[in-house]
C-alpha cells in the first residue's frame, strides 16, 4: 500500500505523491492522467499534484514537480513548496534544506507555528526575471512590463510582468468589479490561445489595504480562480515594493491576505521569502494499482485534526480585523 497526503497552503489544495514508495517509475502521461483524475473530484478536488522524488543534486533533500489540474507542468508553486518542505522535513527529520524544482534549488526552513496546530514553513522564491527573454510575451511593444498601461487588457489598469520563475501578470486595483469580472475575463482570455502570452500566464489583481498590507486574488494558469497562489503573492509583493518606489532591500515584512488565508513575504534583492501555513488535512492509503486505475473509492481516508485548527486561526484573524 502507498500513502498520499492532501495538503494546503492558504487553502490552495494539493495532493502529494512520493514516488519513492512506488514499485515503478510512472511515465509523464500516467502522472498527467492521475493528476486530472485526482483533482477533478476526489476529496473535493485540488489545484494540482505535487510529485516528490529523490533528487540527484547533492545539495537537495528531495525534488518537487508541480502538475496543474489541467495536466500542464508549472516550474514552481510557492504554497505547494511549503507543504512539500513540511513533508520532507518530517520524512528526514531536518528543519532547513534545499528542494530541487524545475529551474532552481530552493532553500526551505521550518518556522514557528502560526497558531496551535498550524505548522508553517518559509520558502525561497527565485529566480526572478522581468525580461521577455525568460518570460515569453508577444505583441506588447516592450521587453518588460513595469507599471505599464496595456490597452488590449484594460482601459484603466497598469500591469507588471514578473516570472518567479513561473509567469505572473500583476495589477493593482481599487474596485471590486476589477477583482471579480475584469480578473476573470482577462485570466480566461490569456489562458487560452491568445496573441500575447503563448504559454498562458497567472493573473494576479491586488488591493493595497494599508502600509505593507495587500489582498491578492489570482486567476491561475491551468486552474482558474484559486484560493491563493504563493508565487503570485510573492511576485505581487515585489511589484508592490517597486510600485511604492522604495527600492531598498530587504523590504519590511508584507502581510498578504488572500481568499484562503494569509501569508507573510519579505522582498530581498534577488529573491522573495514566502512564509505561511503548511497544513496536512488527509492521509490516503491505496494500492498502487487502484491509484493508477483511479479506483479512489477503494482508498482509506484518514482525516487529521489540522483543518479545524486552521479554520480557528483564520476566524481569529477575521475577528482581529473587525
Ligand atoms: N498555486 C501555485 C502556482 C501553481 C502554478 C501555476 N498554476 C502555474 O502554472 O504557473 C503557487 O502557490 O505558487
Amino acid at each position: 500500500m502507498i500513502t498520499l497526503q492532501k495538503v494546503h497552503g492558504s487553502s490552495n489544495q494539493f495532493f502529494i505523491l512520493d514516488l519513492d514508495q512506488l514499485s515503478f517509475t510512472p511515465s509523464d502521461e500516467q502522472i498527467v492522467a492521475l493528476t486530472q483524475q485526482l483533482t477533478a473530484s476526489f476529496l473535493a478536488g485540488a489545484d494540482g499534484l505535487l510529485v516528490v522524488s529523490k533528487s540527484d543534486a547533492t545539495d537537495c533533500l528531495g525534488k518537487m514537480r508541480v502538475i496543474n489540474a489541467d495536466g500542464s507542468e508549472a516550474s514552481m508553486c510557492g504554497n505547494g513548496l511549503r507543504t512539500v518542505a513540511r513533508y520532507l522535513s518530517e520524512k528526514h527529520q531536518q528543519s532547513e534544506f534545499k528542494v530541487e524544482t524545475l529551474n532552481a534549488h530552493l532553500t526551505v526552513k521550518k518556522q514557528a507555528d502560526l497558531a496551535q496546530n498550524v505548522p508553517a514553513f518559509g520558502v525561497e522564491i527565485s529566480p526572478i526575471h522581468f525580461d521577455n527573454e525568460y518570460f515569453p510575451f508577444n505583441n506588447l511593444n516592450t521587453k518588460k512590463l513595469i507599471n505599464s498601461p496595456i490597452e488590449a487588457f484594460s482601459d484603466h489598469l497598469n500591469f507588471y510582468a514578473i516570472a518567479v520563475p513561473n509567469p505572473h501578470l500583476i495589477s493593482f486595483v481599487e474596485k471590486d468589479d476589477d477583482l471579480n469580472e475584469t480578473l476573470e475575463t482577462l485570466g480566461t482570455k490569456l489562458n487560452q490561445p491568445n496573441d500575447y502570452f503563448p504559454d498562458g500566464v497567472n493573473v494576479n489583481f491586488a488591493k493595497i489595504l494599508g502600509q505593507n498590507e495587500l489582498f491578492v486574488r489570482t486567476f491561475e494558469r491551468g486552474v482558474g480562480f484559486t484560493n491563493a497562489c504563493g508565487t503570485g503573492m510573492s511576485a505581487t509583493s515585489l511589484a508592490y515594493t517597486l510600485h511604492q518606489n522604495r527600492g531598498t532591500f530587504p523590504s519590511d515584512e508584507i502581510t498578504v491576505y488572500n481568499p484562503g488565508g494569509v501569508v507573510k513575504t519579505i522582498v530581498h534583492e534577488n529573491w522573495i521569502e514566502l512564509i505561511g501555513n503548511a497544513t496536512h488535512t488527509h492521509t490516503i492509503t491505496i494500492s498502487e494499482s487502484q491509484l493508477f486505475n483511479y479506483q479512489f473509492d477503494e482508498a482509506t481516508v484518514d482525516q487529521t485534526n489540522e483543518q479545524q485548527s486552521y479554520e480557528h486561526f483564520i476566524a481569529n484573524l477575521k475577528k482581529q480585523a473587525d
Side-chain angles (χ1 to χ4, degrees):
M1 295 300 256
I2 58 167
T3 57
L4 283 94
Q5 289 190 355
K6 178 107 188 272
V7 295
H8 74 79
S10 274
S11 310
N12 185 191
Q13 300 186 40
F14 303 96
F15 292 96
I16 293 182
L17 171 64
D18 186 346
L19 297 187
D20 224 12
Q21 310 168 85
L22 301 182
S23 64
F24 70 106
T25 306
S27 65
D28 281 358
E29 289 72 22
Q30 283 174 304
I31 293 286
V32 165
L34 178 62
T35 304
Q36 289 168 334
Q37 295 287 335
L38 270 174
T39 57
S41 59
F42 181 46
L43 287 181
D47 284 354
L49 177 68
L50 304 170
V51 182
V52 174
S53 60
K54 286 201 176 77
S55 170
D56 292 332
T58 50
D59 63 340
C60 292
L61 198 57
K63 179 174 170 180
M64 172 184 84
R65 283 180 72 188
V66 183
I67 315 298
N68 289 320
D70 73 350
S72 59
E73 181 159 5
S75 52
M76 234 310 263
C77 174
N79 292 326
L81 182 57
R82 297 201 308 277
T83 64
V84 167
R86 175 178 172 191
Y87 175 81
L88 290 171
S89 164
E90 290 173 358
K91 181 174 175 183
H92 297 283
Q93 298 297 304
Q94 291 193 37
S95 56
E96 184 172 356
F97 50 89
K98 280 184 193 255
V99 178
E100 180 184 349
T101 62
L102 200 60
N103 289 344
H105 298 179
L106 299 172
T107 299
V108 301
K109 192 175 173 186
K110 187 167 169 44
Q111 306 284 319
D113 290 358
L114 300 185
Q116 199 183 355
N117 207 25
V118 184
F121 274 77
V123 300
E124 171 187 351
I125 305 292
S126 81
I128 298 168
H129 296 294
F130 289 86
D131 209 293
N132 198 221
E133 192 188 329
Y134 298 96
F135 182 171
F137 49 82
N138 304 322
N139 302 319
L140 295 176
N141 298 322
T142 176
K143 293 257 168 239
K144 288 182 186 178
L145 296 180
I146 299 186
N147 206 20
S148 313
I150 306 173
E151 209 38 54
F153 296 172
S154 162
D155 58 7
H156 61 287
L157 299 176
N158 288 2
F159 294 88
Y160 294 80
I162 307 178
V164 291
N166 59 337
H168 290 275
L169 185 71
I170 296 147
S171 185
F172 292 94
V173 306
E174 283 172 8
K175 292 186 289 177
D176 285 343
D177 277 3
D178 285 329
L179 271 183
N180 298 311
E181 288 84 2
T182 314
L183 177 56
E184 181 164 25
T185 306
L186 186 61
T188 305
K189 166 174 162 163
L190 298 179
N191 285 290
Q192 56 195 21
N194 69 90
D195 293 338
Y196 308 101
F197 291 94
D199 300 337
V201 67
N202 300 290
V203 186
N204 308 273
F205 278 12
K207 260 191 177 177
I208 299 173
L209 304 177
Q211 173 83 359
N212 295 321
E213 268 194 17
L214 304 174
F215 174 81
V216 177
R217 190 168 190 215
T218 304
F219 189 99
E220 233 186 67
R221 173 174 75 164
V223 177
F225 273 125
T226 177
N227 284 325
C229 176
T231 45
M233 293 184 285
S234 303
T236 305
S237 299
L238 171 56
Y240 173 69
T241 64
L242 301 173
H243 197 70
Q244 302 293 95
N245 205 15
R246 289 208 293 270
T248 47
F249 300 105
S251 70
D252 291 335
E253 190 174 79
I254 301 169
T255 302
V256 189
Y257 297 95
N258 54 68
V262 65
V263 297
K264 302 275 184 191
T265 56
I266 300 170
V267 180
H268 297 262
E269 195 160 354
N270 294 312
W271 63 287
I272 304 151
E273 202 171 339
L274 170 70
I275 301 161
N277 73 298
T279 297
H280 170 195
T281 57
H282 303 81
T283 302
I284 300 126
T285 308
I286 189 167
S287 77
E288 201 172 82
S289 80
Q290 286 163 347
L291 181 65
F292 283 93
N293 286 302
Y294 325 128
Q295 293 166 328
F296 307 132
D297 45 1
E298 304 291 329
T300 306
V301 177
D302 292 307
Q303 206 166 341
T304 71
N305 61 0
E306 291 187 26
Q307 183 56 18
Q308 218 181 350
S309 305
Y310 181 76
E311 282 169 18
H312 191 246
F313 161 67
I314 295 297
N316 273 345
L317 273 185
K318 288 199 173 129
K319 259 193 237 151
Q320 281 163 24
D322 292 342

